[in-house]
Amino acid sequence: MTQTLDILERLIGFDTVSAKSNLALIDYVQSFLADRGFQVHRVPDASGQKAGLFAVLGPVGKGVMLSAHSDVVPVTGQDWTRDPFRLSIDGARAYGRGTTDMKGYLASMLALADRASKITLREPLKIALSYDEEVGCVGIQHMIGKLERTIGAPRACFVGEPTEMQVAVGHKGKAALRAVFLGQGGHSALAPKFLNALHIVGDFLAELRKVQDTLAMVGARDEAYDIPYSTVHVGQLSGGTALNIVPDRAEMIFEYRHLPADLPQDILERIQSAASKALTPFLRQFPHAAIEIDPYNAYPGLDVPSDAEVVVTAQGLAQTNGTTKVAFGTEAGFFDALGIPTIVCGPGSMEGQGHKPDEFVTLDQLALCDGMMDRLLSQLTGASDS
C-alpha cells in the first residue's frame, strides 16, 4: 500500500485534464516501466501533444493485460476544498482529481509492475495506458490497431474503471451525434416569411422524444442496469445571433446509449426517420431547408456472459462471487471487439466519487485492488498452481 500511495501521489500531481497534454505523465510511466525491464511502445497522437503506451514484461506469450487511461475530467467550476492536483490523505480517504477515475488503479498497476520486475514470470504481464478516454474513448481508437504488433493480444484484459472492486461484465455502447439545422434568415419583423431554424429544432426534438419512448416501451431491456433500456439524450443546443434576426442555422449535440440487443444502426435509422418527419412539413415552402446529422464518435458496449472464463478468473482475483453492470462507458468494448476476453474491475465508486469535487478513493478500496494484483502476480508466476 505504501508504494501504491507513493506512486499515486506522483500521478495526481500531473494535471492531465483531457484538454491538456498528458506527456509529462506518460514520460514518468514510460521511464518507470523501462527502468524495470518492460518493453515499452509509445503511441503518440497526431498532434504530438498526447500519447498512450503499451508495455510488456516476461516471456513471449499471451499473458494478462491491465488497462487504464491517463486523463481526468476538469475541475473548473467545481467547489474543491483542497488542491485537486495534490494527493491528500485524510483518515481513510485519499483525495485528488483522478484518485477514483482512474489513477488509483493505475498506481496499483505500476506497483505490481515493480514487484513483477523482481521475480521470474511464467507468462507476460501487459499494460495498456491510453489518453482522451474522458472525451469519448478517443485515444484508444487510435491506439488499438497497434496492440497486436507491439505487445500482442493477451488471453485476458482487466480494465480498472471504478466498480468498487466488483466484476463488471457489461455496459452500454454510445454514439455522439451533431445535427445542423438549416433554415432561412431575415428580419424578425417579417419572421413568418422566413424559416426559423429553431422551429425545425423544436419539431425534431419532439420526434426524438418519440424515439426515446419507443425504445423504453418496446426496445430491448436489461434489468441489471439502472436504466434498463437504450436512451437518447440532448446535451447542447445553439442557434441565432440576435433577437431581431430570424436564425438561419442551429446546432444540436446529442447521443444515444444502447444495450447490445439494440443495434446502433437501427437506432440511427430511427433518428434519421425522425429528422425526415420533422423536416418534411417545412420543405413545401422552403425547399432548401435541411437537417444534417453527423455521428462523429462512438464506442462499443460490453456484454460478457457471467460464466465466461475471464469472469470466473476475475472473481477469483478480486475475491468476489457476483457480477455487475455499470452505467458509464469504458474502453473494454474495444478490447472485447478484438476477441480479447475483457471485464471491468477497479477501486472506487463512479456514482459516489468519480467526476465530483473533492474526489477521493478509500484506502480500503486501494488495499483490495493491491490484493487483486498480488493474486494476479501469483498466477503469472505459477505460484497459484501449487
Side-chain angles (χ1 to χ4, degrees), residues 362-375:
T362 66
L363 301 184
D364 284 348
Q365 283 283 297
L366 285 180
L368 289 174
C369 189
D370 281 347
M372 178 179 179
M373 297 298 182
D374 280 337
R375 287 182 284 276

Side-chain angles (χ1 to χ4, degrees), residues 329-352:
T330 78
E331 296 172 337
F334 289 98
F335 299 115
D336 181 72
L338 290 182
I340 300 169
T342 304
I343 57 89
V344 182
C345 182
S349 166
M350 187 68 81
E351 181 177 359

Side-chain angles (χ1 to χ4, degrees), residues 211-267:
V211 172
Q212 175 66 96
D213 290 345
T214 299
L215 291 171
M217 291 185 294
V218 301
R221 294 188 73 85
D222 187 338
E223 300 300 331
Y225 290 98
D226 292 336
I227 306 298
Y229 48 83
S230 299
T231 59
V232 179
H233 161 72
V234 177
Q236 293 178 272
L237 177 63
S238 61
T241 57
L243 179 59
N244 63 348
I245 300 174
V246 176
D248 63 354
R249 187 183 187 280
E251 184 173 310
M252 174 192 295
I253 305 296
F254 65 110
E255 68 175 25
Y256 61 83
R257 295 178 182 255
H258 63 94
L259 296 172
D262 282 331
L263 299 178
Q265 183 59 38
D266 291 345
I267 298 177

Side-chain angles (χ1 to χ4, degrees), residues 77-135:
Q78 294 188 337
D79 187 17
W80 283 73
T81 63
R82 58 195 77 219
D83 185 345
F85 298 108
R86 180 178 180 182
L87 183 70
S88 59
I89 298 175
D90 188 352
R93 297 177 175 182
Y95 290 89
R97 174 54 89 218
T99 47
T100 279
D101 186 17
M102 57 184 296
K103 291 180 177 179
Y105 181 78
L106 176 56
S108 188
M109 279 172 51
L110 294 178
L112 169 65
D114 179 67
R115 297 195 296 279
S117 70
K118 300 171 182 176
I119 57 178
T120 300
L121 299 180
R122 187 182 67 175
E123 57 177 325
L125 171 63
K126 299 180 178 182
I127 287 175
L129 180 59
S130 70
Y131 59 93
D132 281 357
E133 188 275 346
E134 296 290 4
V135 290

Side-chain angles (χ1 to χ4, degrees), residues 157-160 166-169 302 304 310-311 314 332 341-345 372:
C157 175
F158 304 140
V159 177
Q166 299 301 303
V167 177
V169 297
L302 182 70
V304 182
V310 67
V311 176
T342 304
I343 57 89
V344 182
C345 182
M372 178 179 179

